[in-house]
Amino acid sequence: MSYRKLFYVANVLLLAVFVWALVEDFRAEWRPYQAAYYRMAAEAQEKLAAAQTDPKKAAEHKAAARAMRRSPVEIKQIIVGDLGRFDRCVTCHVGMDEYTNPSLKNDFTENPYKAHPKIDESLVKAHPFTKFGCTSCHSGQGLATDKDAAHGWVKHWEKPMLKGVHIQGACVKCHGDFETLKGSEVAARGKRLFQEHGCQGCHAINGWGGAVSVDLGDVADKPFERIAGYNFKRVRIDGKELPNEHHNSHWNIQNWILGHLVNDPAYNTPNDPFAKLNAEPIPPSGMPDFSAEISRADSDAITAYLTGMTKEEVIPRRYYVFAPAAREPKFSQAKDHGRFVFQKYGCQGCHGLEAKEGRRRYNALGPGQKPFDETMTEEEIGRQMELGREPTLPDLMGTYTHEELVKKIASGVPAADAKKWNPKGPMPMIYMPGWKDKISPTELNDLATWLLSIAKEDDSGF
Amino acid sequence: MPTVDIEKIKKEIIDSQLWRSVFRGGVWKDTPRDRAAHIIGNVWLHLHPVKVRPRALEWLYTWGMGGISFALYLILTLSGVALMFYYRPTIGLAYRDIKDLEFAVTLGMFLRNSHRWAAQAMVVAVIAHMVRVFLTGAYKKPREFNWGVGVLLLTLTLFLSFTGYLLPWDQLAIWAVTVGTNMAGATPILGNEGPLGSLAGMRINNDVRFTLLGGTMVGENTLLRFYVMHCVAVPLVVGILLILHFWRIRKDSFSAAPYQANEEKVDVWPHLVKREYVAAAATVLVIMVWSILQNAPLEAIANPNVTTNPSKAPWYFVGLQELLVYFDPWIAGVVMPGLIIVGLIAIPYIDTNPKGIGYYAWKERPFANTMFMLGVVLWFALIYIGYACRGPNYAWYWPWESWYGLKAAPPATWSVFGPKGDGAYSMLIGVPLLAGVSAAWMLLPKMIQRDLDGRKTMGAFLGLLAVLAAAGMAMGKMDVLQGAFLLFFLGSSFYFGFMLPQRHIRTLDWPRYLVTMVLVVSTMSVLLKMCARLAFNIKYVLTIPSISMNI
């Protein structure tokens, strides 16, 4: 081809590719949605006009329909400076845009056209969209204008839109009084369950609770970089593995929390108990298996509660609603108070509900274990290490005096003092922390009283 | 019916006062004088000569890479200026502005993609340009200086790309820049972690890394610094050097291609200009199509508390990052790149071979071409390993392996000579031994004044290695793979680092010979250290912790 021809071809191609780029840019996903909304809204108005007998009102509907048809297709956004929100959700969800749809109501049933549900309820009324935006409660990527990116179902957006009851975590972010609010009942139940099952015994929340494992005060901000992908892939919800992709519609913090409750966490995070990949053996997750004790719905409630545990979002002080600390019940008997103290500090997290049975403590000594034997198969050794247990208190209490028991709870048992079943296996993970700075002397006294009252009697009648 | 005389209208327009005031010269008659006037009378074209030798126009000779690099520089300038309208260099706004470009600005994504991909393409084009100029010997007298300017331009191209990497303020950006700037902290004397750095009074808050970052970690000041360097300071320097580069090309008679009998020069307008236009148009087309089809990466917003695993430098620096596996940062990040730049600039002054100017001459310049291409291949091989074969914890993952699979922790490493090495006197043995081997290696090729029989010497060396490897295997100190590594790496180091210099450059004068050997031996040291680390888990050959000197 001669250069003259090449010159013309190149120029035509340049123009064509530039037009192609423009077309691609114009074919944004949000345009058809917004255009369809205007069309549907105009048709609805025209229908009203046709049904209307009063010519004046019919003319009004017709004018509204015309205005709808004439609306420019454009990016719409709610800017909330206080909360750092730039939410373009209403670009597609036009029915929720106060400027296009002042009543915020319509008859459409499908997303993205339909209006915000429960618009008349006080919950929604108390959080006007212009003051809170969308993502303050729903999460997701407000700046984005295509479906997957906006809902946060993409790599590198770690706070996708909250689904189902998990949205109640949004209430927990600001409302200290969420336990008494209408609308956040599930999150409130989540908090109750969290404490009933003794999660706070190991996981403090903002400093309140035990220090055996991580503080969950910012668990909703946990970066995925700190969750090995390998472990995400092992999480099973409803018995199914999460889809095998790094797609945040499934790989999100809610499923990570949920996965710890509906699965055995030791399965999620098996680590390296036989030192196959590392110089030293690393025990699996120390968290006991709660899947038999906490139902799927209850797990969701706890997840909803923990979804509110965020420090990342900048919310001005005045947006918070504070609540006085709940009053503790009064007990006439030291024994009953002791039982309450046991629950309050989450002792059941390790020692079992009502202190009935100690939970798993990998590679510690436990009932039903065979003696360690080098010749056992690896599988058998693994099974035996799994049988390691925290002390079952009623079996043990008889050997303590009241003073000894108080001292023991106050000072705890250092992790290094643990007795391993398999001497070559990993150190048992969970341990008894010292409680003297957390449990007050009166509480401690009553706790010991209760514990001694439930001690099993042995043959000697002690 | 009145006839329309187009020629007459054309003439009237061209002769009008308005036309003549804008464009010099009258009606185009396509005479040689017109063609010359077109070049001389045009401010943009007059860096060209009026006539050029036809050999300088051949695509197979030039690859068009110099022109394409400049076309990419223009694309980058235009798209960069357009991007500056939307971008604010503060850590609160930068990432959001990129998101805006992606989701709200008309053609914003296209613009950002073009800038990103043109920058990557320019790095490749400039390197290809350098390879072409080297292979055709076009850096030789009288073009030594312009080659040096070109090397500086290559360095600045990489630096421009690197400074631009930070601006989106995402995880990819800050960790790549953290990796890059941490190497600066290992500069000898000037960096707080480099050899002799603490002796020179360097602390974390006054060394060269601090100057680069405007702080002790990547933050607000770094973003501003990189922004100003990326948008103003470096492009200014590049622009000045570009003008110098172009002007010297013209002054040094445009092309190094040798004169032929009866050679007749052709007019630059249109012969060169049309080629330049087509090459530039093709470049723009490729960048545009690429930008439509492929989006530039953008990860989560930068978070100094969450380190990505693995954190990788921009791909063109991943080769140096891969060197960090084998060497301490002051060697991998400072000495090696320094040697590359200085070595490249030195090439025209140490290469005294009068042959092979202006044409591909594999047979006439065996040493120069082999060593240079070895360097280029090694550079890209290291980039490939670092980019494609390194996963979490920078462990070795084959490209087809999933990063979700767990890998065993790397085996413990050991050092040969030094306080923790074998034997009580390892320092006393190690320093003289290493110095002795290096000196012998540097000097012997020139001292042996006769031609060695290549096959016999190579065979003897490989045979010796094979015996060593076999002995090692028999004693159980080595496995087959280690033996193969030893044979391959030591064998190739011996061939490229000893046999070739002995055969081809022993006649050079001492200063040139020594400079060349320093470059050759440093290149070989990379191969040898790779072998030592990959096959034998050797961390250091010699370590002197008291002055942070580890080799």
Side-chain angles (χ1 to χ4, degrees):
Chain A
M1 208 182 322
S2 75
Y3 277 96
R4 183 174 292 269
K5 270 189 202 148
L6 269 180
F7 174 80
Y8 289 123
V9 170
N11 287 349
V12 170
L13 279 177
L14 279 174
L15 190 69
V17 172
F18 185 70
V19 172
W20 178 21
L22 271 176
V23 169
E24 282 294 319
D25 194 78
F26 189 79
R27 281 178 40 193
E29 225 178 324
W30 56 271
R31 271 175 201 280
Y33 287 129
Q34 202 179 103
Y37 182 87
Y38 290 143
R39 199 173 53 244
M40 286 158 67
E43 279 162 9
Q45 290 290 339
E46 277 157 5
K47 227 180 250 168
L48 285 177
Q52 191 55 255
T53 46
D54 180 357
K56 207 172 157 194
K57 282 202 174 147
E60 267 171 26
H61 284 306
K62 272 188 183 159
R66 258 201 310 282
M68 271 297 141
R69 285 199 193 279
R70 280 190 199 144
S71 302
V73 176
E74 65 195 357
I75 288 180
K76 299 165 182 284
Q77 57 189 1
I78 300 172
I79 299 175
V80 187
D82 265 6
L83 299 172
R85 306 282 156 181
F86 304 84
D87 288 344
R88 301 192 170 126
C89 316
V90 287
T91 303
C92 295
H93 295 275
V94 190
M96 304 179 195
D97 173 30
E98 273 183 62
Y99 290 88
T100 318
N101 185 20
S103 69
L104 286 174
K105 289 178 192 167
N106 63 29
D107 297 331
F108 309 139
T109 51
E110 256 176 69
N111 266 324
Y113 311 111
K114 72 177 190 190
H116 196 285
K118 301 177 187 169
I119 199 75
D120 285 331
E121 282 183 18
S122 57
L123 172 63
V124 183
K125 281 237 161 99
H127 301 87
F129 302 164
T130 43
K131 273 198 173 164
F132 287 85
C134 315
T135 55
S136 305
C137 298
H138 288 277
S139 295
Q141 184 174 190
L143 287 167
T145 54
D146 60 64
K147 190 179 168 188
D148 282 355
H151 293 97
W153 302 333
V154 286
K155 227 174 160 180
H156 305 307
W157 194 267
E158 301 196 349
K159 294 204 168 169
M161 199 176 153
L162 296 172
K163 286 179 184 164
V165 293
H166 298 161
I167 182 95
Q168 294 196 10
C171 313
V172 181
K173 285 196 287 196
C174 306
H175 288 278
D177 60 344
F178 75 96
E179 283 161 276
T180 54
L181 277 181
K182 191 167 169 284
S184 57
E185 294 86 354
V186 176
R189 187 158 62 89
K191 182 175 179 183
R192 220 160 42 237
L193 288 161
F194 185 87
Q195 291 177 342
E196 273 172 27
H197 291 277
C199 307
Q200 78 275 27
C202 292
H203 292 286
I205 288 193
N206 299 325
W208 204 96
V212 177
S213 188
V214 289
D215 190 315
L216 296 181
D218 58 355
V219 67
D221 306 327
K222 188 183 178 86
F224 294 175
E225 200 64 56
R226 303 228 176 102
I227 304 173
Y230 175 63
N231 294 337
F232 241 135
K233 280 181 66 168
R234 293 177 73 89
V235 169
R236 289 164 306 172
I237 307 286
D238 298 331
K240 274 186 299 198
E241 276 176 28
L242 297 181
N244 185 14
E245 56 182 27
H246 200 306
H247 192 286
N248 294 354
S249 61
H250 298 283
W251 289 33
N252 53 39
I253 200 69
Q254 282 74 32
N255 276 346
W256 179 245
I257 297 172
L258 198 60
H260 275 75
L261 298 169
V262 300
N263 299 330
D264 181 356
Y267 176 83
N268 292 353
T269 311
N271 286 335
D272 189 17
F274 292 98
K276 287 190 172 152
L277 303 171
N278 298 275
E280 295 288 321
I282 301 170
S285 168
M287 182 164 160
D289 181 0
F290 286 94
S291 60
E293 195 173 300
I294 305 179
S295 71
R296 169 65 209 267
D298 286 353
S299 304
D300 262 324
I302 294 174
T303 305
Y305 164 57
L306 291 177
T307 295
M309 296 300 145
T310 169
K311 296 270 180 293
E312 202 174 56
E313 292 170 32
V314 188
I315 304 170
R317 208 87 191 127
R318 63 177 180 283
Y319 281 74
Y320 286 97
V321 181
F322 296 94
R327 196 180 289 256
E328 281 188 10
K330 288 243 188 305
F331 298 90
S332 52
Q333 294 245 329
K335 211 167 66 170
D336 294 340
H337 184 227
R339 181 172 165 273
F340 170 79
V341 170
F342 183 84
Q343 279 183 5
K344 177 182 169 191
Y345 290 97
C347 309
Q348 69 275 38
C350 293
H351 297 291
L353 295 178
E354 303 285 334
K356 283 208 174 93
E357 192 187 7
R359 296 184 200 271
R360 182 181 59 213
R361 189 180 184 212
Y362 196 81
N363 197 27
L365 303 179
Q369 271 172 337
K370 294 179 192 160
F372 177 69
D373 177 1
E374 293 258 9
T375 56
M376 281 177 174
T377 60
E378 199 178 284
E379 209 178 319
E380 180 61 27
I381 291 178
R383 235 191 334 267
Q384 293 294 324
M385 289 200 286
E386 290 254 352
L387 287 176
R389 284 290 177 276
E390 293 290 350
T392 298
L393 297 179
D395 294 350
L396 214 66
M397 288 300 102
T399 59
Y400 286 88
T401 65
H402 191 275
E403 286 72 37
E404 279 170 350
L405 194 53
V406 167
K407 209 174 151 197
K408 181 112 183 173
I409 301 170
S411 57
V413 184
D417 285 2
K419 287 192 188 69
K420 292 190 202 176
W421 174 78
N422 169 7
K424 284 185 189 155
M427 272 312 274
M429 280 275 257
I430 34 180
Y431 63 96
M432 172 81 176
W435 290 94
K436 62 176 180 296
D437 298 331
K438 306 217 173 194
I439 306 183
S440 73
T442 338
E443 286 179 323
L444 206 50
N445 224 3
D446 292 352
L447 174 58
T449 308
W450 179 66
L451 285 174
L452 287 172
S453 78
I454 58 166
K456 268 194 195 135
E457 291 182 7
D458 63 10
D459 296 340
S460 66
F462 179 73
Chain B
M1 197 174 114
T3 54
V4 183
D5 188 349
I6 291 173
E7 284 307 309
K8 192 169 166 255
I9 295 171
K10 225 162 130 186
K11 192 174 176 333
E12 266 172 24
I13 291 174
I14 287 172
D15 284 338
S16 68
Q17 188 187 359
L18 183 64
W19 184 273
R20 293 300 293 266
S21 69
V22 179
F23 302 104
R24 296 164 56 82
V27 179
W28 179 256
K29 298 189 195 72
D30 205 25
T31 58
R33 190 182 174 282
D34 269 0
R35 291 177 170 194
H38 222 70
I39 298 295
I40 300 163
N42 184 305
V43 66
W44 312 117
L45 291 177
H46 86 280
L47 271 172
H48 291 97
V50 170
K51 282 180 176 272
V52 64
R53 302 212 316 283
R55 283 210 44 192
L57 298 178
E58 282 169 24
W59 286 112
L60 283 178
Y61 177 70
T62 66
W63 305 358
M65 277 303 160
I68 286 173
S69 303
F70 184 58
L72 287 165
Y73 183 73
L74 291 182
I75 298 175
L76 285 163
T77 310
L78 289 177
S79 55
V81 169
L83 285 171
M84 282 173 79
F85 285 115
Y86 296 101
Y87 176 82
R88 292 162 291 179
T90 68
I91 55 178
L93 298 170
Y95 185 72
R96 209 176 80 207
D97 287 344
I98 303 293
K99 286 279 181 193
D100 272 353
L101 278 165
E102 210 168 290
F103 291 117
V105 175
T106 305
L107 285 183
M109 193 74 190
F110 177 70
L111 207 56
R112 181 168 117 79
N113 292 348
S114 318
H115 197 74
R116 181 82 167 205
W117 301 137
Q120 318 273 311
M122 185 170 164
V123 171
V124 176
V126 171
I127 292 174
H129 179 52
M130 178 181 74
V131 170
R132 193 285 292 174
V133 169
F134 187 94
L135 293 182
T136 57
Y139 58 82
K140 298 190 182 189
K141 204 175 162 188
R143 299 181 180 79
E144 307 97 316
F145 177 74
N146 214 13
W147 165 267
V149 174
V151 173
L152 290 183
L153 279 168
L154 165 67
T155 316
L156 287 174
T157 303
L158 294 177
F159 190 61
L160 261 178
S161 210
F162 179 64
T163 48
Y165 220 82
L166 183 67
L167 303 188
W169 200 248
D170 62 342
Q171 284 287 69
L172 195 65
I174 63 159
W175 293 108
V177 169
T178 302
V179 171
T181 49
N182 276 352
M183 291 192 200
T187 315
I189 302 167
L190 292 179
N192 80 88
E193 283 171 353
L196 307 175
S198 53
L199 283 181
M202 287 301 149
R203 298 185 306 274
I204 191 162
N205 58 357
N206 69 354
D207 66 344
V208 59
R209 177 174 168 273
F210 182 83
T211 313
L212 209 55
L213 293 183
T216 52
M217 59 187 282
V218 179
E220 183 84 65
N221 283 342
T222 319
L223 185 57
L224 186 61
R225 264 170 210 224
F226 273 49
Y227 177 73
V228 174
M229 283 197 282
H230 184 72
C231 302
V232 185
V234 186
L236 209 65
V237 179
V238 169
I240 291 168
L241 288 180
L242 270 180
I243 295 171
L244 187 60
H245 198 60
F246 294 160
W247 181 75
R248 280 299 295 249
I249 291 172
R250 194 190 148 173
K251 286 289 150 186
D252 300 335
S253 75
F254 206 80
S255 172
Y259 284 92
Q260 283 162 334
N262 313 326
E263 192 183 62
E264 197 146 329
K265 283 191 172 182
V266 295
D267 292 311
V268 161
W269 182 280
H271 296 289
L272 177 57
V273 177
K274 72 186 180 191
R275 283 172 171 82
E276 288 176 343
Y277 185 90
V278 167
T283 309
V284 177
L285 267 176
V286 169
I287 295 296
M288 276 167 76
V289 172
W290 188 2
S291 305
I292 292 170
L293 298 179
Q294 181 69 45
N295 285 341
L298 185 67
E299 296 195 350
I301 190 166
N303 185 346
N305 297 324
V306 180
T307 318
T308 54
N309 184 8
S311 293
K312 289 188 184 179
W315 68 264
Y316 36 85
F317 287 148
V318 161
L320 294 177
Q321 190 182 359
E322 176 64 20
L323 278 187
L324 283 173
V325 175
Y326 314 112
F327 293 102
D328 264 12
W330 70 277
I331 300 185
V334 185
V335 172
M336 284 296 172
L339 271 178
I340 294 173
I341 295 168
V342 173
L344 283 172
I345 294 177
I347 282 175
Y349 303 100
I350 53 180
D351 180 4
T352 54
N353 186 352
K355 289 182 201 154
I357 304 184
Y359 55 96
Y360 298 98
W362 289 101
K363 290 217 170 117
E364 293 168 19
R365 307 171 54 212
F367 181 73
N369 280 346
T370 311
M371 292 317 292
F372 182 79
M373 286 317 290
L374 181 72
V376 174
V377 168
L378 194 59
W379 174 257
F380 281 103
L382 285 171
I383 286 177
Y384 179 78
I385 294 174
Y387 191 79
C389 304
R390 293 291 181 178
N393 303 328
Y394 222 67
W396 191 290
Y397 283 75
W398 292 105
W400 54 88
E401 267 183 307
S402 164
W403 282 9
Y404 298 142
L406 289 180
K407 287 264 168 170
T413 54
W414 58 288
S415 299
V416 185
F417 298 114
K420 285 179 184 166
D422 287 341
Y425 300 104
S426 71
M427 287 265 283
L428 289 182
I429 305 167
V431 176
L433 189 71
L434 214 64
V437 168
S438 315
W441 191 356
M442 300 270 287
L443 303 177
L444 269 181
K446 190 168 165 71
M447 310 268 258
I448 304 171
Q449 281 297 343
R450 60 189 183 80
D451 265 339
L452 292 175
D453 183 321
R455 255 181 225 170
K456 274 187 191 160
T457 322
M458 239 358 247
F461 186 78
L462 286 178
L464 188 70
L465 280 180
V467 170
L468 267 176
M473 277 182 243
M475 286 161 67
K477 293 205 166 171
M478 217 187 272
D479 59 24
V480 180
L481 194 68
Q482 285 174 320
F485 261 79
L486 199 69
L487 226 60
F488 174 77
F489 280 99
L490 249 60
S492 40
S493 304
F494 183 72
Y495 178 73
F496 291 112
F498 190 88
M499 293 301 289
L500 283 186
Q502 201 278 331
R503 182 177 305 164
H504 296 291
I505 62 164
R506 66 167 187 271
T507 49
L508 272 181
D509 53 301
W510 273 104
R512 288 197 168 89
Y513 168 80
L514 282 179
V515 172
T516 315
M517 280 311 281
V518 166
L519 297 175
V520 169
V521 172
S522 344
T523 314
M524 296 311 140
S525 72
V526 174
L527 286 178
L528 292 176
K529 195 68 195 287
M530 278 178 85
C531 175
R533 181 62 195 258
L534 289 178
F536 299 97
N537 299 317
I538 295 174
K539 188 162 169 69
Y540 300 122
V541 177
L542 173 70
T543 159
I544 310 174
S546 51
I547 53 165
S548 322
M549 177 89 159
N550 305 303
I551 299 169

